[in-house]
Amino acid sequence: MEGAALQLLALAKAKNRLQGLLSAVLAISGDLDLSAVLHRIVTTAMELADARYGALGVLAPSGDHLERFVTAGLTDEERAALAGVDFPHGRGVLGHLIRHPAPLRVDDIPAHPASVGFPPGHPPMRTLLGVAITVRGEIYGDLYLSERADGRPFDEDDEEIVRALAGAAGIAIENARLFGCVRDSAEQFQRLLLPTLPDLVPFSGAAVYRTASEPARVGGDWYDAAVLPDRACVAVIGDVVGHDLQAAAAMAQARNMLRALLYDRRTPPSSVLTQLDHTVGAITDLPVTTACLARIEPAGDGWNLHWSTAGHLPPLVLGPDGHARYVRGEPGIPLGVDPAVPRPDHTHPLPAGSTVVLFTDGLVEHPERAIDEGLDALAALATAHVALPLDDLVRVLADHHPSDGHDDIAILAIRVPAAEGPLPQRPLP
C-alpha cells in the first residue's frame, strides 16, 4: 500500500508539473515584445523548478560571450548591493555552459572546477541548473536557475521540465524577433511616405509618428505643413480607414494631391477639402478618410486659426499661459462619403506664442473609456508640458498617450511666434 501511495503521489506531481508546463508555454507565447518574452521565460522557469533566482544570458553574435543578461528573483536590496557591477559576460561556470551547451546541474558552485567566484555584493548561491536555448538550430542563449526553495539541489525532473520549457522558449523568441522585424519594417515604410517638415519660419513645427502595437499594421495616418506664398502657415492631419498597403498608398496620394491644391488655391480650408474630395475620388478609389485642415493666418497684430474638419477630432490649442482648450465646431463628413455635402469653416484667435496641436484618434482612443476621457487626459498632459520645446512636447504626448496603443499615432504641432506683430516677409517662390 505504501508503494502504491508513493506512485500516486509521483503521478500527481508529474500531472501538476505537466499542467504547469502547458500553462507556461501559453504564457510565454502570449508576448510579442522580445524583452517581455525573455523576462517571462526566466520567471516561468523559476516557477516550474521552484527556484529563488533565475537569469537568461543572450549570446553575442560571436557565440563566445554574453551580450545581455536578464535576471529575476533579486530583491531591491540585492540589486542595490550589485549597483555598479557589470552583468556576467560568460566567465566561470556560466562560460562552461557556453562552451559545452549540454544541460548542467551543479550542487556546489564554488567547488566546480570552472568557478571563479562571485563579485562583491552578489547574493550567495550554491546550486545551479543551466539549459541552452536554441532558436532556428543555433544557440541563442542560456537559461540559469539557482537555489531551490527547499534548499535541495536541482534534480533530473527539474532538468527535464526546464529543457521542455527551453524548447518552447526558442519558438517564442523567434516569434518575437519576427514580430520586431515586421513592426520595424512597417514603421520604416510608413515613415518613408511621411514628409520631413519644411522650414516654417517664422512659425515652428514638430511632428511624430508611431506605428500600432500589432504586427504588419501599416496605417493611413498622415500629416503635412507648409508656409504658403500668402504668408499663411497651413497644417493638415488625416487618417485613412484601414491598416494595410492600400491605406498607406491612398494616404500618400491624398497628401500629395492636397499639397498641390494648397499651393494652387488660396481658398478657405473647407473649399480645399471639398476639391480634394472631388479630385481624389475621380482618379482613385480613396477609402473613407478623416482630416483636419488648418490655416494660421495674419490678423492685424496677431493670428487667426482658420480650420475645417472632415469627420476628424478638433484641434487642441495651447495658450502661452499654459491653458489648453479644444476649438470645436461642426466637423463635416469624412472624405470619400459625399463630396457634394457642404463643409463648414471655423475661426479662432491665436495669441502670440500659442501652439496648435493636430492629432489622429490613435492618440486618445481606448476601448474601455469614452473618447472625451482620452481628450481630457491629452489636454492635461499637454498643459503639464506646454513649456517644453516643440519636438520634446510631441514626443511626450506620443510616449504618454492615454490610448491603448492599438492604432497608429500621428501628432503635428505648430507654434506661432512669441512676439506679437505682423508676420515677417518671406521671399515668394
Side-chain angles (χ1 to χ4, degrees):
M1 290 294 293
E2 184 176 346
L6 291 175
Q7 285 183 334
L8 288 174
L9 288 174
L11 287 173
K13 181 179 179 182
K15 180 182 178 181
N16 290 337
R17 277 206 160 184
L18 180 58
Q19 289 177 337
L21 176 60
L22 292 175
S23 298
V25 170
L26 292 175
I28 64 174
S29 300
D31 282 315
L32 285 173
D33 177 76
L34 182 58
S35 295
V37 168
L38 297 181
H39 189 265
R40 179 68 69 89
I41 291 169
V42 176
T43 56
T44 302
M46 291 168 59
E47 293 171 3
L48 289 176
D50 200 17
R52 178 178 175 184
Y53 301 105
L56 195 158
V58 179
L59 285 178
S62 62
D64 59 357
H65 68 279
L66 302 177
E67 67 173 6
R68 185 175 181 183
F69 203 71
V70 181
T71 63
L74 295 171
T75 64
D76 292 341
E77 293 76 12
E78 290 170 336
R79 289 189 182 278
L82 290 170
V85 177
D86 197 10
F87 70 83
H89 290 276
R91 297 176 61 241
V93 179
L94 302 189
H96 177 86
L97 186 58
I98 293 174
R99 295 186 298 271
H100 308 283
L104 176 67
R105 278 187 280 140
V106 178
D107 294 348
D108 188 2
I109 295 174
H112 192 278
S115 177
V116 294
F118 296 106
H122 196 284
M125 294 183 184
R126 184 176 58 86
T127 60
L128 176 74
L129 171 58
V131 175
I133 295 177
T134 301
V135 176
R136 297 180 67 88
E138 296 184 358
I139 303 296
Y140 175 83
D142 295 306
L143 179 60
Y144 310 103
L145 299 176
S146 184
E147 303 304 287
R148 264 181 34 166
D150 60 8
R152 301 178 62 185
F154 295 101
D155 57 27
E156 187 175 347
D157 289 340
D158 297 322
E159 179 182 320
E160 287 182 358
I161 200 164
V162 174
R163 286 178 63 188
L165 177 68
I171 297 173
I173 291 170
E174 177 65 3
N175 287 341
R177 290 166 67 183
L178 290 173
F179 166 77
C181 290
V182 171
R183 179 191 56 203
D184 294 345
S185 297
E187 183 170 359
Q188 182 181 13
F189 176 73
Q190 182 85 10
R191 291 186 188 283
L192 289 173
L193 295 177
L194 292 171
T196 299
L197 294 184
D199 178 11
L200 300 177
V201 172
F203 305 92
S204 56
V208 65
Y209 169 77
R210 300 283 171 82
T211 55
S213 59
E214 297 180 14
R217 297 271 286 184
V218 178
D221 288 17
W222 53 285
Y223 57 80
D224 204 355
V227 175
L228 300 180
D230 63 355
R231 318 299 180 189
C233 178
V234 64
V236 62
I237 199 158
D239 187 357
V240 178
V241 173
H243 291 87
D244 52 26
L245 292 177
Q246 181 182 359
M251 172 270 288
Q253 289 176 317
R255 183 181 66 80
N256 292 336
M257 182 62 69
L258 179 60
R259 176 168 280 204
L261 290 173
L262 289 171
Y263 275 92
D264 181 62
R265 297 171 180 267
R266 316 295 164 75
T267 55
S270 61
S271 298
V272 176
L273 287 177
T274 296
Q275 187 59 49
L276 176 67
D277 207 356
H278 281 289
T279 305
V280 177
I283 63 177
T284 186
D285 294 326
L286 179 70
V288 173
T289 301
T290 68
C292 179
L293 174 61
R295 283 172 52 97
I296 301 175
E297 305 167 335
D301 292 336
W303 296 268
N304 271 342
L305 175 65
H306 187 181
W307 84 97
S308 181
T309 65
H312 203 83
L313 294 169
L316 174 64
V317 174
L318 309 177
D321 59 355
H323 179 70
R325 62 168 295 184
Y326 292 99
V327 287
R328 301 177 185 271
E330 185 182 346
I333 64 173
L335 305 173
V337 177
D338 185 354
V341 176
R343 297 185 178 280
D345 280 289
H346 312 283
T347 59
H348 180 79
L350 291 177
S354 296
T355 302
V356 179
V357 181
L358 307 179
F359 54 93
T360 55
D361 55 12
L363 188 66
V364 293
E365 283 190 336
H366 196 292
E368 298 178 2
R369 293 193 289 268
I371 187 68
D372 285 344
E373 292 184 48
L375 290 171
D376 291 343
L378 176 64
L381 180 64
T383 299
H385 298 90
V386 67
L388 290 175
L390 214 51
D391 286 327
D392 294 334
L393 174 62
V394 295
R395 279 196 292 268
V396 167
L397 298 183
D399 290 341
H400 303 284
H401 58 83
S403 75
D404 64 349
H406 281 76
D407 198 0
D408 292 45
I409 291 173
I411 308 171
L412 173 61
I414 305 293
R415 183 167 290 167
V416 303
E420 295 187 5
L423 292 176
Q425 294 296 303
R426 291 167 54 101
L428 292 175

